[in-house]
Amino acid sequence: MHSSLPAPSLLAGDHANLGASAQAVADAGAAWLHVDIMDGHFVPNLSFGPETVAALRRAGIKLFFDTHLMLSEPARYIEAFAKAGANLISIHIEPAYDHAATLARIRSLGCQCGIVLNPGTPAGAVEHLLDQVDLVLVMTVQPGFGGQSFRADMMPKLAQLAAWRKERGYNWRLEVDGGVDLRTVRDCHAAGADTFVAGTSFFKATDRVAFLKEIEGLPGLEARNAER
Ligand code: DX5
Ligand code: ZN
């Protein structure tokens, strides 16, 4: 169904030259740009706002903006991000708010929607929303900072979500975020993920074109199912 897709993360770019960093992602051949939005409350860090997204669009960046909201109150900001040019908006399950209504609102604004799980959150926490999303994002680090170590103990959760997707016929992408590099991406892929956020590993790669090609070369779901 879904081909393997790398999503380089702007968080690991040059924050004094974000337009150039986004352009570098496009120039390397990526289709998606992962944009991390932090509020200093749900996570202990701050990053970008809707104006950053709008400015990237004005600068001519045409990548698919995979916008990861790490916010205690995402509903307050989704309209601003949709208007700024986000293509997909993901929200976390952990804070208390009306998740289903917020996902529906994201779609009504013309964007795809995703639900995100922190490392401590079990797959079952999002089970009731799996018929309402375009993407499920499993954090493989505690969100807030780039450059952290990959949590291999998240693989059973990924596999559980992938199994539900297959059994129940869902069509969402299954994304991983945090500590993904050319080694750990293989574990994620084996567990069923098809969409791979890469911050530090992408920007530090000596050959970014080859880096993206290697991830894109991992066989997609149809090919994998045929193997089984
Ligand atoms: C972490 C962010 C990630 C971050 C990943 O809170 O959600 O998207 O950019 O960075 P790396 O790939 O360096 O772990
Ligand atoms: Zn992220």
Side-chain angles (χ1 to χ4, degrees):
M1 186 70 58
H2 295 299
S3 52
S4 297
L5 187 71
S9 175
L10 189 62
L11 192 67
D14 176 357
H15 287 232
N17 295 286
L18 292 173
S21 293
Q23 189 59 52
V25 169
D27 290 346
W32 280 32
L33 181 71
H34 185 80
V35 183
D36 286 307
I37 309 297
M38 305 182 185
D39 66 354
H41 187 260
F42 178 65
V43 290
N45 197 4
L46 298 160
S47 57
F48 319 121
E51 183 49 31
T52 313
V53 173
L56 291 171
R57 288 296 186 219
R58 283 198 300 275
I61 303 299
K62 298 197 167 50
L63 293 159
F64 183 96
F65 286 170
D66 169 28
T67 314
H68 174 194
L69 302 189
M70 286 161 270
L71 308 177
S72 294
E73 297 183 78
R76 289 178 61 177
Y77 302 97
I78 54 177
E79 188 167 348
F81 281 103
K83 282 191 177 148
N87 298 100
L88 184 151
I89 298 176
S90 293
I91 56 174
H92 274 260
I93 188 68
E94 293 83 11
Y97 59 93
D98 190 337
H99 304 98
T102 307
L103 292 166
R105 178 90 180 111
I106 292 169
R107 282 186 169 168
S108 78
L109 290 163
C111 296
Q112 295 181 36
C113 65
I115 192 76
V116 193
L117 301 87
N118 274 344
T121 304
V126 299
E127 198 173 355
H128 62 297
L129 297 171
L130 294 178
D131 60 348
Q132 299 161 49
V133 295
D134 302 293
L135 176 140
V136 176
L137 169 51
V138 172
M139 294 305 303
T140 40
V141 298
Q142 188 63 25
F145 300 90
Q148 303 183 74
S149 299
F150 177 77
R151 299 247 328 232
D153 58 331
M154 294 299 107
M155 297 306 97
K157 178 160 67 181
L158 259 188
Q160 172 69 80
L161 287 160
W164 285 340
R165 176 172 63 177
K166 193 175 173 206
E167 286 162 20
R168 304 175 190 178
Y170 297 130
N171 192 35
W172 28 263
R173 283 191 165 273
L174 184 52
E175 185 176 50
V176 284
D177 182 8
V180 175
D181 59 25
L182 290 181
R183 184 177 57 84
T184 58
V185 74
R186 293 187 174 275
D187 298 338
C188 299
H189 177 260
D194 50 54
T195 307
F196 308 96
V197 177
T200 308
S201 59
F202 171 80
F203 280 99
K204 286 203 168 152
T206 47
D207 185 342
R208 291 173 180 168
V209 174
F211 178 94
L212 295 178
K213 284 220 165 81
E214 186 161 336
I215 293 176
E216 284 162 2
L218 297 166
L221 193 60
E222 259 172 21
R224 276 188 272 169
N225 286 339
E227 280 166 19
R228 282 175 189 151

PDB file of all heavy atoms in Angstrom, residues 27-28 182 201-214:
ATOM      1  N   ASP A  27      16.117  19.693  -2.308  1.00  0.00           N
ATOM      2  CA  ASP A  27      17.190  19.436  -3.278  1.00  0.00           C
ATOM      3  C   ASP A  27      17.706  18.003  -3.191  1.00  0.00           C
ATOM      4  O   ASP A  27      18.158  17.429  -4.186  1.00  0.00           O
ATOM      5  CB  ASP A  27      18.364  20.402  -3.054  1.00  0.00           C
ATOM      6  CG  ASP A  27      18.004  21.833  -3.447  1.00  0.00           C
ATOM      7  OD1 ASP A  27      16.977  22.032  -4.124  1.00  0.00           O
ATOM      8  OD2 ASP A  27      18.754  22.756  -3.053  1.00  0.00           O
ATOM      9  N   ALA A  28      17.646  17.422  -1.978  1.00  0.00           N
ATOM     10  CA  ALA A  28      18.114  16.034  -1.815  1.00  0.00           C
ATOM     11  C   ALA A  28      17.106  15.037  -2.385  1.00  0.00           C
ATOM     12  O   ALA A  28      17.403  13.854  -2.508  1.00  0.00           O
ATOM     13  CB  ALA A  28      18.384  15.743  -0.346  1.00  0.00           C
ATOM     14  N   LEU A 182      20.106   5.144   9.454  1.00  0.00           N
ATOM     15  CA  LEU A 182      20.062   4.054   8.460  1.00  0.00           C
ATOM     16  C   LEU A 182      20.134   2.673   9.097  1.00  0.00           C
ATOM     17  O   LEU A 182      19.814   1.677   8.446  1.00  0.00           O
ATOM     18  CB  LEU A 182      21.169   4.237   7.411  1.00  0.00           C
ATOM     19  CG  LEU A 182      20.964   5.424   6.459  1.00  0.00           C
ATOM     20  CD1 LEU A 182      22.098   5.501   5.447  1.00  0.00           C
ATOM     21  CD2 LEU A 182      19.609   5.367   5.754  1.00  0.00           C
ATOM     22  N   SER A 201      20.211  12.527  11.622  1.00  0.00           N
ATOM     23  CA  SER A 201      20.857  11.606  10.669  1.00  0.00           C
ATOM     24  C   SER A 201      20.794  12.139   9.242  1.00  0.00           C
ATOM     25  O   SER A 201      21.732  11.962   8.471  1.00  0.00           O
ATOM     26  CB  SER A 201      20.219  10.215  10.753  1.00  0.00           C
ATOM     27  OG  SER A 201      18.830  10.283  10.456  1.00  0.00           O
ATOM     28  N   PHE A 202      19.687  12.826   8.871  1.00  0.00           N
ATOM     29  CA  PHE A 202      19.607  13.395   7.523  1.00  0.00           C
ATOM     30  C   PHE A 202      20.601  14.534   7.359  1.00  0.00           C
ATOM     31  O   PHE A 202      21.384  14.544   6.397  1.00  0.00           O
ATOM     32  CB  PHE A 202      18.197  13.904   7.207  1.00  0.00           C
ATOM     33  CG  PHE A 202      18.149  14.681   5.918  1.00  0.00           C
ATOM     34  CD1 PHE A 202      18.096  14.012   4.700  1.00  0.00           C
ATOM     35  CD2 PHE A 202      18.225  16.074   5.908  1.00  0.00           C
ATOM     36  CE1 PHE A 202      18.104  14.715   3.495  1.00  0.00           C
ATOM     37  CE2 PHE A 202      18.232  16.787   4.713  1.00  0.00           C
ATOM     38  CZ  PHE A 202      18.167  16.102   3.505  1.00  0.00           C
ATOM     39  N   PHE A 203      20.562  15.498   8.280  1.00  0.00           N
ATOM     40  CA  PHE A 203      21.411  16.685   8.083  1.00  0.00           C
ATOM     41  C   PHE A 203      22.897  16.358   8.225  1.00  0.00           C
ATOM     42  O   PHE A 203      23.741  17.045   7.676  1.00  0.00           O
ATOM     43  CB  PHE A 203      20.970  17.825   9.007  1.00  0.00           C
ATOM     44  CG  PHE A 203      19.756  18.553   8.456  1.00  0.00           C
ATOM     45  CD1 PHE A 203      18.488  18.266   8.922  1.00  0.00           C
ATOM     46  CD2 PHE A 203      19.890  19.482   7.433  1.00  0.00           C
ATOM     47  CE1 PHE A 203      17.365  18.902   8.390  1.00  0.00           C
ATOM     48  CE2 PHE A 203      18.776  20.130   6.895  1.00  0.00           C
ATOM     49  CZ  PHE A 203      17.511  19.848   7.378  1.00  0.00           C
ATOM     50  N   LYS A 204      23.236  15.292   8.964  1.00  0.00           N
ATOM     51  CA  LYS A 204      24.645  14.915   9.122  1.00  0.00           C
ATOM     52  C   LYS A 204      25.128  13.960   8.037  1.00  0.00           C
ATOM     53  O   LYS A 204      26.324  13.673   7.952  1.00  0.00           O
ATOM     54  CB  LYS A 204      24.861  14.269  10.492  1.00  0.00           C
ATOM     55  CG  LYS A 204      24.824  15.291  11.608  1.00  0.00           C
ATOM     56  CD  LYS A 204      25.564  14.803  12.850  1.00  0.00           C
ATOM     57  CE  LYS A 204      25.753  15.972  13.820  1.00  0.00           C
ATOM     58  NZ  LYS A 204      25.827  15.543  15.218  1.00  0.00           N
ATOM     59  N   ALA A 205      24.203  13.440   7.227  1.00  0.00           N
ATOM     60  CA  ALA A 205      24.613  12.461   6.206  1.00  0.00           C
ATOM     61  C   ALA A 205      25.584  13.106   5.216  1.00  0.00           C
ATOM     62  O   ALA A 205      25.366  14.232   4.770  1.00  0.00           O
ATOM     63  CB  ALA A 205      23.378  11.942   5.471  1.00  0.00           C
ATOM     64  N   THR A 206      26.625  12.388   4.883  1.00  0.00           N
ATOM     65  CA  THR A 206      27.589  12.947   3.929  1.00  0.00           C
ATOM     66  C   THR A 206      26.989  12.974   2.529  1.00  0.00           C
ATOM     67  O   THR A 206      27.277  13.863   1.752  1.00  0.00           O
ATOM     68  CB  THR A 206      28.906  12.142   3.921  1.00  0.00           C
ATOM     69  OG1 THR A 206      28.562  10.754   3.853  1.00  0.00           O
ATOM     70  CG2 THR A 206      29.722  12.399   5.164  1.00  0.00           C
ATOM     71  N   ASP A 207      26.124  12.016   2.219  1.00  0.00           N
ATOM     72  CA  ASP A 207      25.432  11.992   0.921  1.00  0.00           C
ATOM     73  C   ASP A 207      23.924  11.921   1.203  1.00  0.00           C
ATOM     74  O   ASP A 207      23.377  10.834   1.421  1.00  0.00           O
ATOM     75  CB  ASP A 207      25.904  10.788   0.100  1.00  0.00           C
ATOM     76  CG  ASP A 207      25.313  10.785  -1.308  1.00  0.00           C
ATOM     77  OD1 ASP A 207      24.291  11.487  -1.541  1.00  0.00           O
ATOM     78  OD2 ASP A 207      25.873  10.081  -2.167  1.00  0.00           O
ATOM     79  N   ARG A 208      23.278  13.082   1.212  1.00  0.00           N
ATOM     80  CA  ARG A 208      21.859  13.130   1.597  1.00  0.00           C
ATOM     81  C   ARG A 208      20.964  12.475   0.543  1.00  0.00           C
ATOM     82  O   ARG A 208      19.929  11.894   0.871  1.00  0.00           O
ATOM     83  CB  ARG A 208      21.429  14.582   1.822  1.00  0.00           C
ATOM     84  CG  ARG A 208      22.089  15.185   3.060  1.00  0.00           C
ATOM     85  CD  ARG A 208      21.792  16.668   3.158  1.00  0.00           C
ATOM     86  NE  ARG A 208      22.407  17.253   4.338  1.00  0.00           N
ATOM     87  CZ  ARG A 208      22.500  18.555   4.541  1.00  0.00           C
ATOM     88  NH1 ARG A 208      22.028  19.415   3.632  1.00  0.00           N
ATOM     89  NH2 ARG A 208      23.058  19.024   5.634  1.00  0.00           N
ATOM     90  N   VAL A 209      21.366  12.563  -0.721  1.00  0.00           N
ATOM     91  CA  VAL A 209      20.582  11.923  -1.787  1.00  0.00           C
ATOM     92  C   VAL A 209      20.584  10.412  -1.582  1.00  0.00           C
ATOM     93  O   VAL A 209      19.537   9.752  -1.618  1.00  0.00           O
ATOM     94  CB  VAL A 209      21.153  12.301  -3.173  1.00  0.00           C
ATOM     95  CG1 VAL A 209      20.440  11.531  -4.278  1.00  0.00           C
ATOM     96  CG2 VAL A 209      21.046  13.811  -3.402  1.00  0.00           C
ATOM     97  N   ALA A 210      21.757   9.868  -1.314  1.00  0.00           N
ATOM     98  CA  ALA A 210      21.873   8.415  -1.093  1.00  0.00           C
ATOM     99  C   ALA A 210      21.131   8.004   0.174  1.00  0.00           C
ATOM    100  O   ALA A 210      20.507   6.931   0.225  1.00  0.00           O
ATOM    101  CB  ALA A 210      23.347   8.021  -0.997  1.00  0.00           C
ATOM    102  N   PHE A 211      21.193   8.855   1.193  1.00  0.00           N
ATOM    103  CA  PHE A 211      20.482   8.588   2.462  1.00  0.00           C
ATOM    104  C   PHE A 211      18.987   8.404   2.197  1.00  0.00           C
ATOM    105  O   PHE A 211      18.378   7.427   2.632  1.00  0.00           O
ATOM    106  CB  PHE A 211      20.734   9.758   3.420  1.00  0.00           C
ATOM    107  CG  PHE A 211      20.026   9.651   4.749  1.00  0.00           C
ATOM    108  CD1 PHE A 211      20.664   9.102   5.851  1.00  0.00           C
ATOM    109  CD2 PHE A 211      18.721  10.112   4.903  1.00  0.00           C
ATOM    110  CE1 PHE A 211      20.006   9.006   7.080  1.00  0.00           C
ATOM    111  CE2 PHE A 211      18.059  10.012   6.123  1.00  0.00           C
ATOM    112  CZ  PHE A 211      18.703   9.455   7.215  1.00  0.00           C
ATOM    113  N   LEU A 212      18.401   9.343   1.451  1.00  0.00           N
ATOM    114  CA  LEU A 212      16.959   9.261   1.167  1.00  0.00           C
ATOM    115  C   LEU A 212      16.648   8.051   0.290  1.00  0.00           C
ATOM    116  O   LEU A 212      15.663   7.345   0.512  1.00  0.00           O
ATOM    117  CB  LEU A 212      16.478  10.542   0.481  1.00  0.00           C
ATOM    118  CG  LEU A 212      16.563  11.826   1.321  1.00  0.00           C
ATOM    119  CD1 LEU A 212      16.100  13.020   0.490  1.00  0.00           C
ATOM    120  CD2 LEU A 212      15.736  11.718   2.596  1.00  0.00           C
ATOM    121  N   LYS A 213      17.504   7.806  -0.686  1.00  0.00           N
ATOM    122  CA  LYS A 213      17.270   6.664  -1.599  1.00  0.00           C
ATOM    123  C   LYS A 213      17.291   5.346  -0.853  1.00  0.00           C
ATOM    124  O   LYS A 213      16.513   4.440  -1.154  1.00  0.00           O
ATOM    125  CB  LYS A 213      18.337   6.657  -2.699  1.00  0.00           C
ATOM    126  CG  LYS A 213      18.089   7.723  -3.761  1.00  0.00           C
ATOM    127  CD  LYS A 213      18.390   7.173  -5.160  1.00  0.00           C
ATOM    128  CE  LYS A 213      17.810   8.085  -6.229  1.00  0.00           C
ATOM    129  NZ  LYS A 213      18.668   9.237  -6.498  1.00  0.00           N
ATOM    130  N   GLU A 214      18.177   5.252   0.135  1.00  0.00           N
ATOM    131  CA  GLU A 214      18.264   3.992   0.889  1.00  0.00           C
ATOM    132  C   GLU A 214      16.952   3.742   1.653  1.00  0.00           C
ATOM    133  O   GLU A 214      16.444   2.614   1.683  1.00  0.00           O
ATOM    134  CB  GLU A 214      19.453   4.020   1.853  1.00  0.00           C
ATOM    135  CG  GLU A 214      19.643   2.680   2.528  1.00  0.00           C
ATOM    136  CD  GLU A 214      21.031   2.483   3.141  1.00  0.00           C
ATOM    137  OE1 GLU A 214      22.000   3.137   2.695  1.00  0.00           O
ATOM    138  OE2 GLU A 214      21.134   1.655   4.069  1.00  0.00           O
TER     139      GLU A 214
END
